[in-house]
Amino acid sequence: MKRLEGKVAIVTGAGAGQGAAEATIFAQEGAKVIATDVAFENVQNVVNKINEEIPGSAIALKHDVSSEEQWKTVVEEAVKKFGKIDILVNNAGILATKPYQETNIDFWNFGMNINAWSQFVGTKTVAPYIKEAGGGSIVNIGSMASIDNSGGFNVYTASKGAVEALTRSAAVQFGPDNIRVNSIHPGAIATKMLTDTITTDEAMQGVIGMIPLGRVGEPIDVAKLALFLASDDSNYISGTANIIDGAMRL
Ligand SMILES: NC(=O)c1ccc[n+]([C@@H]2O[C@H](COP(=O)([O-])OP(=O)(O)OC[C@H]3O[C@@H](n4cnc5c(N)ncnc54)[C@H](O)[C@@H]3O)[C@@H](O)[C@H]2O)c1
């Protein structure tokens, strides 16, 4: 049996990078997937590819994860289309970072809203549906930035610290509803977010030189961990922070 057979999953930020890999592998493992992104055309393309391979297994929705109203629409559409929700992957995020002296309250709120409030309000909105389905799994994508402060990313670091802490808080709150909540903390993963930051070959070689496994991670590496945490294979794991960085932190 496939590992997510019979499950319905929402994956945010699924128009690119890790979210696209997660939406794809979840569908390949039998899930019905609601793939959302603020960049609608991108997520529609991802969903078209998924449905070419596994017809009828995914839908695309335009979704700004920092909007509570839009979360309500997403869950309504999900239940209308697939009848229930078992899994939420809070993946969407942005690298909001400026030096301390250039950071004001507006920039702080911008980064915290998209990276942290988004996951809080997503969990708040989706958890009652997962409870109604008999329980399930929430996977929050954090970053190594909150664990070893790689890069010194200031607002981004704070937002991912909130992800890590809220994962534990939500695991306590929703455990009695049979909802597991875990976070994933990627190191350097080959997506646009990384190539926007590390812009030259020389700088990339410098990053790779810090990784004992000798390469940056691929989106599929993280997606396989998300799959494990979303599936019943991890059914006694909750409130954990899972590092995936090729041992870069050591
Ligand atoms: N790539 C890395 O090295 C790395 C490392 C650690 C953590 N992460 C985290 O992994 C997650 C996925 O990032 P990625 O590496 O795939 O980057 P990415 O930039 O390729 O993808 C991010 C996706 O999120 C979407 N998005 C941005 N703002 C949004 C919003 N307000 N509402 C909905 N969607 C929005 C983008 O449109 C994009 O499709 C993020 O939470 C990021 O912080 C990435």
Side-chain angles (χ1 to χ4, degrees):
M1 190 170 125
K2 291 181 173 175
R3 292 165 76 186
L4 297 182
E5 201 71 60
K7 310 277 191 196
V8 178
I10 297 174
V11 180
T12 70
Q18 298 172 54
E22 284 149 5
T24 304
I25 200 171
F26 280 24
Q28 288 167 339
E29 287 292 341
K32 301 294 186 201
V33 178
I34 299 94
T36 82
D37 204 295
V38 73
F40 180 69
E41 209 173 301
N42 292 354
V43 75
Q44 185 64 66
N45 287 339
V46 170
V47 160
N48 289 347
K49 270 195 205 138
I50 293 173
N51 284 335
E52 264 170 37
E53 188 185 333
I54 314 137
S57 62
I59 59 169
L61 295 177
K62 183 171 171 63
H63 178 205
D64 176 350
V65 286
S66 64
S67 161
E68 186 159 13
E69 279 312 304
Q70 291 187 26
W71 270 105
K72 288 180 187 156
T73 309
V74 165
V75 292
E76 280 164 16
E77 290 294 318
V79 171
K80 205 188 323 169
K81 179 73 182 169
F82 295 126
K84 61 168 184 164
I85 306 166
D86 307 282
I87 295 161
L88 167 64
V89 182
N90 279 313
N91 164 76
I94 51 160
L95 186 64
T97 181
K98 282 184 185 181
Y100 261 71
Q101 303 308 332
E102 291 169 29
T103 297
N104 59 21
I105 184 68
D106 291 338
F107 189 72
W108 171 272
N109 287 339
F110 167 70
M112 293 299 279
N113 276 339
I114 294 178
N115 288 350
W117 162 249
S118 62
Q119 296 199 5
F120 184 93
V121 73
T123 296
K124 172 186 164 186
T125 311
V126 177
Y129 290 84
I130 302 182
K131 178 183 177 184
E132 206 178 306
S137 172
I138 297 174
V139 180
N140 295 327
I141 306 301
S143 169
M144 280 309 294
S146 77
I147 291 178
D148 67 0
N149 199 17
S150 42
F153 291 139
N154 301 333
V155 173
Y156 181 76
T157 301
S159 70
K160 294 302 189 178
V163 167
E164 189 195 344
L166 285 169
T167 295
R168 290 192 295 271
S169 178
V172 171
Q173 176 155 347
F174 297 112
D177 299 332
N178 195 30
I179 302 174
R180 300 179 298 102
V181 190
N182 294 286
S183 59
I184 292 180
H185 298 269
I189 309 298
T191 69
K192 188 168 181 302
M193 186 177 286
L194 185 70
T195 49
D196 280 352
T197 321
I198 313 292
T199 52
T200 65
D201 280 353
E202 198 186 352
M204 191 61 83
Q205 286 313 314
V207 171
I208 291 168
M210 293 190 290
I211 304 172
L213 283 184
R215 64 174 178 89
V216 297
E218 294 299 326
I220 189 67
D221 296 324
V222 181
K224 285 177 182 169
L225 177 54
L227 169 64
F228 170 69
L229 292 171
S231 76
D232 293 341
D233 289 345
S234 59
N235 68 8
Y236 198 56
I237 299 176
S238 192
T240 68
N242 298 269
I243 292 170
I244 176 161
D245 72 341
M248 188 182 188
R249 74 201 171 281
L250 300 175

